[in-house]
Amino acid sequence: CSVLTDVDISERLETIEKLAFFECDRLERIAIPLKRDLFEFDDMLNECNQFDKCQHLTKVDLVGGIHTTVASFHMESWSNEMIAEINRINQ
């Protein structure tokens, strides 16, 4: 995943598997639907790790309806804050 920079995840997607975007070095932005249980939880590591080691991920858009942006998070670096937000959404 060395060329992916931007991802818009469909509202029809049911689950994003563990480590789905692991080490996507150039990934800068994702748009994810506000959807319960979208992220598969890694029971062994006790976390959601779909975007681990995505060093350049700086923008996450939470979308609802027909891709109407309802929130946008700008982050200086990928950190535990994103994992906490994903876990909060999945509750």
Side-chain angles (χ1 to χ4, degrees):
C1 163
S2 61
V3 295
L4 190 62
T5 60
D6 189 87
V7 175
D8 290 302
I9 297 174
S10 170
E11 292 180 27
R12 293 182 294 200
L13 186 67
E14 293 183 19
T15 304
I16 300 175
E17 300 286 328
K18 296 178 278 191
L19 302 171
F21 295 93
F22 182 74
E23 290 186 338
C24 286
D25 299 13
R26 296 185 182 176
L27 184 61
E28 296 175 359
R29 185 193 76 84
I30 59 170
I32 56 175
L34 290 172
K35 189 174 186 179
R36 185 175 185 86
D37 299 324
L38 180 62
F39 295 95
E40 183 178 314
F41 190 76
D42 190 329
D43 292 320
M44 285 189 64
L45 297 175
N46 199 32
E47 66 181 13
C48 290
N49 55 16
Q50 284 73 6
F51 300 97
D52 275 7
K53 298 192 179 183
C54 294
Q55 303 299 331
H56 292 96
L57 183 59
T58 58
K59 186 173 182 184
V60 178
D61 294 324
L62 302 178
V63 295
I66 302 175
H67 284 299
T68 302
T69 301
V70 296
S72 179
F73 294 105
H74 297 274
M75 298 170 286
E76 289 184 19
S77 66
W78 185 250
S79 68
N80 290 334
E81 292 174 15
M82 184 59 199
I83 293 169
E85 186 62 25
I86 291 169
N87 290 335
R88 184 190 67 75
I89 291 168
N90 281 329
Q91 290 180 353

